[in-house]
Amino acid sequence: MALDPLSSTFAALADPTRRAILARLARSETSVMELAKPFDMSLPAISKHLKVLEHAGLISRTREAQRRPCRIAPASFREIDGWLGNFRRFWDDSLNRLDDLLEQMKAEEAAKSSPRTNRKVTKLKVRATREKPRGRTRR
C-alpha cells in the first residue's frame, strides 16, 4: 500500500536514528561513512535508514566518483511546515484568547479588591487618630 507523501515523511521522522541523521545533515552535506560514525550499527543498516529518508523526500543523494554525499532536501520540510502551520495558527489563537481571558480576570480581581483595600486603610487611619498615646510622655 502506497502512502501519501506527508504520511511517508512522518513515518520517516518517527525513528530517532533518522532524526539524528537529519540533524547531522542540517549542519552540512556528508558521506554515508561520516553519517555512520556516531551510530552503533552497520553500514547496511545506515543505508536502509537513508533509503527511507530519501524515499520520503527528506534527503537527496548524489554520486561523485565513489563518494555518495547526502544532503537535506528542503521541499518535504516545506510541506511539513505548511501542514503544521494550521496547527500553529490554532495554538496561537487559543493562547491569545487565554491571555485575553487572564487579563480580564486580573482586571476584575483588581476592581473587586481595590475598594476593600481602601476601606481597610481608611478604618486603620481613623483608629490611629482616635487612639491616645499610652504610657508616660517626656517633657
Side-chain angles (χ1 to χ4, degrees):
M1 179 174 146
L3 296 174
D4 63 287
L6 196 58
S7 296
S8 295
T9 302
F10 281 118
L13 292 173
D15 187 275
T17 301
R18 291 192 282 267
R19 289 193 306 270
I21 290 171
L22 288 171
R24 169 60 184 90
L25 289 174
R27 288 184 263 149
S28 67
E29 78 175 37
T30 190
S31 67
V32 176
M33 293 294 287
E34 287 296 315
L35 283 173
K37 281 183 182 177
F39 300 103
D40 188 25
M41 59 179 65
S42 66
L43 280 177
I46 291 292
S47 291
K48 285 181 182 180
H49 283 295
L50 292 175
K51 285 179 186 174
V52 171
L53 291 170
E54 190 173 23
H55 176 73
L58 294 169
I59 66 166
S60 64
R61 295 196 282 183
T62 57
R63 188 178 297 261
E64 296 173 3
Q66 292 182 344
R67 190 170 175 264
R68 294 205 60 192
C70 302
R71 64 182 56 90
I72 293 284
S76 290
F77 287 98
R78 276 189 230 113
E79 186 178 341
I80 293 169
D81 187 51
W83 187 80
L84 289 173
N86 297 324
F87 296 97
R88 191 176 303 115
R89 281 187 294 281
F90 166 78
W91 284 111
D92 285 345
D93 290 346
S94 296
L95 292 173
N96 287 338
R97 284 193 310 274
L98 182 59
D99 283 341
D100 293 343
L101 178 63
L102 289 173
E103 289 300 319
Q104 178 184 352
M105 291 172 68
K106 285 179 187 177
E108 289 173 1
E109 188 65 30
K112 287 179 184 177
S113 65
S114 290
R116 291 180 187 163
T117 305
N118 288 342
R119 279 189 238 135
K120 288 180 182 176
V121 170
T122 306
K123 288 179 183 179
L124 290 175
K125 285 182 183 177
V126 170
R127 283 186 193 158
T129 56
R130 289 183 186 168
E131 290 181 9
K132 295 180 182 178
R134 296 182 182 169
R136 291 194 297 173
T137 58
R138 289 188 174 171
R139 291 191 183 203

